[in-house]
Amino acid sequence: MTTPPTPLPVSPPAHRWLAPAAACTTVVLWASAFVSIRSAGEAYSPGALALGRLLAGTLVLGAILLVRREGLPGRGAWPGIVASGVLWFGLYMVVLNWGEQEVDAGTAAMLVNIGPILIALLGARMLGEGLPRRLLLGMGVSFAGAVVVGLAMSGQGGSSVLGVALCLLAAVAYAAGVVSQKPALAHGSSLQINTFGCLIGAVACLPFTGALVSEAADAPLSATLNMVYLGVFPTALAFTTWGYALARTTAGRMGATTYAVPALVVGMAWVLLDEVPTPLGIVGGVLCLAGVAVSRSRQQTGPTRGNPARPVEGPRHDEERQAERT
């Protein structure tokens, strides 16, 4: 059954930059996660790394939730919280960590970047979101860039059928988690939704507790610090800023925004890992960013000079009401 589309909240003019800033924060932190996963993955197995990351994220998010005294989200949020917690926080993180051990980085990049396309299709089918021409065009350009980046990064390891299947499963879990989370954000704040989603993901990964304990005893401090970083920043902070931005736009457009991640990974690997990008990788990164710019642009409706178009007011969230009061 198709869910009727929910009107998007309209922010006061002074606060309209917050959603784009939140989306940019998410993209930068998720890009940094690839560098940290590469380091931590040398000492931790996929399930143990996912569990440690989620535990750190849950502790940080839970502490902030208590300080802000936000309490529990509305009853209508829980189906989306449970689904996104199991699929996105839990399954996605485990299978992606595992998949990147089975295929080279280029293959993984190409396969996982099917996710934003699935988000747009599922959003149109399940949430009643449209598929604007600019969104489809931008996603096509960005996916082509992701393929180019993948080809430039390929050859860094072997590939296997299992690895390909795991990366495809990660893309499906990512897309399903995003689409599940979108309706939940109408019944609670981004902090509430992601705190309990992260907690549910951690509970789903508890079978890896033994591996985490044994591997932490032998892991170098740098790998453990990278695991904690993954929990605090690319998980606790980035998922919260993602939820804030997702509540104010469509799932398809937010998914397309993540195509900037491969371009940023190329730059971060250059700076932090001294991995000089190839000309092909630079071209792919530029294509990824160009596609995001196209997909995020809005079609001009051309209002008459004396009667400018006005946005339709939708429901507003607690964060916006609080911002106006302060």
Side-chain angles (χ1 to χ4, degrees), residues 101-173:
Q101 294 182 357
E102 298 289 333
V103 302
D104 61 68
T107 302
M110 287 185 284
L111 293 172
V112 173
N113 274 291
I114 295 173
I117 297 175
L118 297 177
I119 290 172
L121 295 176
L122 287 174
R125 179 69 179 89
M126 305 302 296
L127 303 178
E129 298 177 354
L131 290 172
R133 184 178 301 177
R134 290 194 179 194
L135 174 61
L136 294 175
L137 176 61
M139 292 181 70
V141 173
S142 289
F143 184 71
V147 172
V148 172
V149 170
L151 292 174
M153 295 169 61
S154 63
Q156 298 177 12
S159 297
S160 69
V161 174
L162 174 61
V164 170
L166 289 169
C167 289
L168 288 174
L169 179 58
V172 173

Side-chain angles (χ1 to χ4, degrees), residues 135-256:
L135 174 61
L136 294 175
L137 176 61
M139 292 181 70
V141 173
S142 289
F143 184 71
V147 172
V148 172
V149 170
L151 292 174
M153 295 169 61
S154 63
Q156 298 177 12
S159 297
S160 69
V161 174
L162 174 61
V164 170
L166 289 169
C167 289
L168 288 174
L169 179 58
V172 173
Y174 162 46
V178 170
V179 174
S180 298
Q181 188 186 71
K182 172 68 174 176
L185 290 165
H187 302 278
S189 70
S190 174
L191 177 60
Q192 290 173 319
I193 303 304
N194 283 290
T195 297
F196 292 102
C198 191
L199 175 60
I200 288 172
V203 171
C205 291
L206 283 178
F208 301 108
T209 301
L212 175 62
V213 172
S214 62
E215 291 168 11
D218 299 325
L221 179 61
S222 61
T224 301
L225 289 177
N226 271 289
M227 181 174 65
V228 173
Y229 170 84
L230 287 168
V232 175
F233 293 98
T235 303
L237 177 56
F239 274 76
T240 302
T241 52
W242 164 276
Y244 180 90
L246 179 62
R248 289 154 179 81
T249 187
T250 65
R253 292 185 72 202
M254 275 302 291

